[in-house]
Amino acid sequence: ADNVVGTCEGRFLVSPSIIDPSSSAAEPGALAAARPSRFAGLDGIRGLAALAVVLYHLGFHGPEARAKELVPLTPAPIRFLFVEHGGLGVAVFFALSGFVLSISLRSTRLSPVEAVHFMKRRCKRLIPPYYAALILAILVAGASAVVSNSPFELEREPFSFMSLLAHLVFLQSALDLPQISSVFWTLCAEMFFYLAFALILMGVGSLWPRYPRQSLWFVLVPVSVLSLVAATGAVQGDWLPVPWLTTFAAFLLGAFTAWALLRRIHPAIPVVFGVAYLLTGWWGELPFKATVVGSAALFVLVTRVSTIGRILDTALLRFLGRISYSWYLTHSVVLSAVYFLVEKSFGTDRSAQLIYALAGIGATVVAATILQRLVEAPSIRWAKNEAVIAGVSTQRATDSLLGSPPQDPRP
């Protein structure tokens, strides 16, 4: 545990010219005192973000509106946060990925070989549950087609092996192919984030020996500017992969927030970047961007204000955080299956919709728990066996920060 929060000031990839002048060789107070349980608030944040996405996809609005009759029965705060804006939980995931990975990699100067090990760990951690969710989606769609005597479709699109192959390598968004499950596009973004992050740290590390005071500026300034330009949507059109580019600034803001808390960069940097990111909301997606900025602020509060960390450290939220990745991967498919069964058995009136909502939420939790225990937990152990970078296991650091051993963060 000491290695998790111990300082590596001389090794961290930043220029001394932008480190907070008041910082010392020791970790800042809030993080130095924080042992794994202190960061458990992050697990609670993940659990709430996953819950928001699940409730949003339950079907209160949209083309299907499977539970539209329940909207008037929902309390106003829950309706606003989860029913109407629950999809913004994805923004929380993106920012949280940047935040946690930046802390877990703070002791690492990535070489090309070490970057490969980092990507291998992320793949071992994320791909097995993802492939299991792919199989589940295909099986559910196939069973539905057989029972209803309808064409074999996934998300209302005909099944194709090209789409399946693209999903296996996270390229369905880049190739503009239909998603097998509506949530899988975010996995494409996450894998891009990890690759880009490894390349950024490699770039800084390669410049560090020759330009120790300028290396961070040479790499991060142009990357930051490009990410903000992409966030405006100015480079969209038909140029793909759009989702990867337009959301990278969310990941970066999480990373900058972590580095500022570690006193590796001046605290003004994430503030300025966050304000600039909000301003790109003029071109669209302002609620998403505001959620990212608000999430970064919440990460700071969790690490600085112990009361907030304890509020987010309840047993229920820790459980939801622990299963959040598996929950996110499977909930859309499970909800569709439950709705199909309830509609056939009870119809579509208000009472049937209530049965669907309760059974759907329960079924998604059960499915996520099974996937987490049978596939996700072993994949975490598999990832931990990957080579250690600079004597510190990145996976172990990430797991400990979330306060839910042996779990690791998700996106």
Side-chain angles (χ1 to χ4, degrees), residues 108-397:
T108 302
R109 181 176 297 173
L110 290 185
S111 67
V113 173
E114 291 164 336
V116 170
H117 286 311
F118 165 71
M119 288 303 300
K120 286 174 68 176
R121 276 196 301 278
R122 299 314 300 161
C123 289
K124 288 180 176 181
R125 165 66 179 90
L126 299 178
I127 287 179
Y130 169 61
Y131 281 2
L134 273 174
I135 294 172
L136 176 64
I138 293 172
L139 290 177
V140 169
S144 175
V146 170
V147 171
S148 60
N149 194 26
S150 60
F152 182 28
E153 295 181 339
L154 296 165
E155 294 289 337
R156 300 184 181 280
E157 295 286 345
F159 174 80
S160 71
F161 285 102
M162 178 60 70
S163 177
L164 176 60
L165 291 175
H167 276 76
L168 293 177
V169 291
F170 303 95
L171 289 178
Q172 67 269 26
S173 294
L175 299 176
D176 197 25
L177 294 172
Q179 300 288 336
I180 289 179
S181 177
S182 60
V183 301
F184 286 166
W185 73 270
T186 62
L187 273 297
C188 301
E190 287 282 354
M191 295 304 291
F192 168 76
F193 294 164
Y194 302 148
L195 179 61
F197 194 54
L199 293 176
I200 288 171
L201 295 185
M202 283 174 55
V204 178
S206 64
L207 293 172
W208 181 270
R210 180 173 294 185
Y211 307 103
R213 291 182 174 274
Q214 295 82 28
S215 58
L216 189 73
W217 293 106
F218 288 165
V219 176
L220 284 192
V221 169
V223 168
S224 300
V225 171
L226 288 175
S227 71
L228 291 172
V229 171
T232 66
V235 294
Q236 289 193 32
D238 296 326
W239 193 46
L240 298 170
V242 172
W244 300 356
L245 295 173
T246 57
T247 55
F248 186 54
F251 181 92
L252 274 185
L253 181 58
F256 291 162
T257 302
W259 288 341
L261 284 172
L262 290 165
R263 295 184 180 174
R264 302 310 199 252
I265 62 176
H266 197 283
I269 292 177
V271 173
V272 172
F273 186 80
V275 171
Y277 185 52
L278 272 179
L279 291 177
T280 67
W282 177 267
W283 288 271
E285 301 294 337
L286 180 59
F288 181 94
K289 294 165 183 176
T291 301
V292 170
V293 174
S295 298
L298 182 58
F299 303 157
V300 175
L301 292 176
V302 167
T303 59
R304 297 287 185 179
V305 183
S306 59
T307 302
I308 296 178
R310 287 195 297 269
I311 291 174
L312 293 170
D313 191 27
T314 65
L316 176 60
L317 290 182
R318 285 200 307 271
F319 168 73
L320 295 181
R322 185 166 62 249
I323 67 169
S324 59
Y325 180 49
S326 294
W327 201 16
Y328 180 82
L329 288 175
T330 58
H331 76 273
S332 180
V333 172
V334 173
L335 286 175
S336 295
V338 171
Y339 181 75
F340 177 83
L341 295 174
V342 171
E343 183 184 31
K344 293 295 184 182
S345 303
F346 302 100
T348 59
D349 59 12
R350 177 176 291 186
S351 61
Q353 291 182 19
L354 181 60
I355 294 173
Y356 155 69
L358 296 177
I361 294 174
T364 60
V365 172
V366 171
T369 302
I370 294 173
L371 180 62
Q372 192 276 328
R373 292 184 178 180
L374 297 184
V375 181
E376 186 181 355
S379 73
I380 292 171
R381 293 192 292 269
W382 186 31
K384 286 184 177 182
N385 292 330
E386 185 58 45
V388 173
I389 295 179
V392 178
S393 169
T394 302
Q395 192 68 42
R396 187 175 114 194

Side-chain angles (χ1 to χ4, degrees), residues 16 22 39 46 51 54 59-60 74 80 89 105 117 126 150 174 211 219 233 252 259 303 320 337 368 370 404 408-409:
S22 63
F39 284 90
R46 282 204 313 149
L51 175 63
V54 171
F60 292 100
T74 308
F80 177 80
L105 282 173
H117 286 311
L126 299 178
S150 60
Y211 307 103
V219 176
L252 274 185
W259 288 341
T303 59
L320 295 181
I370 294 173
S404 58
D408 178 46

